[in-house]
Amino acid sequence: MPDLSLGDEAAVNALRSAVMRLSRRLKHQRVDESLSPTEMSVLGTLARCGRATPGELARKEHVQPPSMTRIVALLEAKGLVRLEPHPDDRRQKVVTQTEQAEAMLEESRRRRNAFLATLTEQLDEDEWAKLRAAAPVLEKLAHL
């Protein structure tokens, strides 16, 4: 960890704690309780990035390829992804989300957005402006 001043260390600690608590609260807004957070994350990655091989998904999700193979098999059994032949490499498959997954993700986003909107109603205008300004920075941190 880099050398931080006491003030910066306190800020990092507060940020970590707040992000974790908010994340846990958002996870409770799930549409399908039968999906693990990792399965939901894979579906979200497919929604953002489009179709991908299991190896590409494993890299993006920071899991080992055998683990991703199991996750994809579970999602396929639930009708949320389909495996298609790779256009250039017959040895590989490409994972694509289904319409059922798209609808589920949309409902999940709607529910979580509504939850956050309800929380933000408790903020004053200055707090809300600061949070809007922080959103791109938090997004950047999430993808570093």
Side-chain angles (χ1 to χ4, degrees), residues 120-134:
T120 61
E121 289 173 357
Q122 309 302 312
L123 303 176
D124 63 36
E125 191 53 43
D126 184 54
E127 290 169 326
W128 178 224
K130 288 176 183 174
L131 187 57
R132 285 193 312 266

Side-chain angles (χ1 to χ4, degrees), residues 8-94:
D8 286 345
E9 191 173 328
V12 166
N13 187 53
L15 177 62
R16 177 198 48 77
S17 178
V19 167
M20 288 178 66
R21 280 195 312 274
L22 186 57
S23 176
R24 277 194 299 272
R25 292 182 72 189
L26 283 168
K27 285 178 185 175
H28 289 292
Q29 304 303 310
R30 293 177 24 189
V31 172
D32 187 337
E33 294 290 328
S34 72
L35 294 178
S36 72
T38 303
E39 290 169 327
M40 284 296 291
S41 182
V42 169
L43 291 177
T45 295
L46 288 170
R48 277 188 314 281
C49 301
R51 51 194 243 148
T53 66
E56 291 167 337
L57 285 172
R59 281 188 295 282
K60 289 178 182 182
E61 293 295 314
H62 306 285
V63 300
Q64 294 299 313
S67 296
M68 184 55 65
T69 299
R70 285 189 297 277
I71 293 165
V72 168
L74 289 169
L75 291 171
E76 184 181 30
K78 294 175 183 179
L80 298 172
V81 300
R82 67 181 154 268
L83 292 170
E84 301 169 343
H86 192 283
D88 302 322
D89 186 347
R90 297 178 77 170
R91 296 169 296 164
Q92 291 195 59
K93 298 284 185 184
V94 176

Side-chain angles (χ1 to χ4, degrees), residues 80 97-107 109:
L80 298 172
Q97 71 176 2
T98 64
E99 296 77 24
Q100 180 183 346
E102 289 175 25
M104 187 192 63
L105 286 172
E106 180 57 36
E107 175 59 20
R109 278 190 292 272

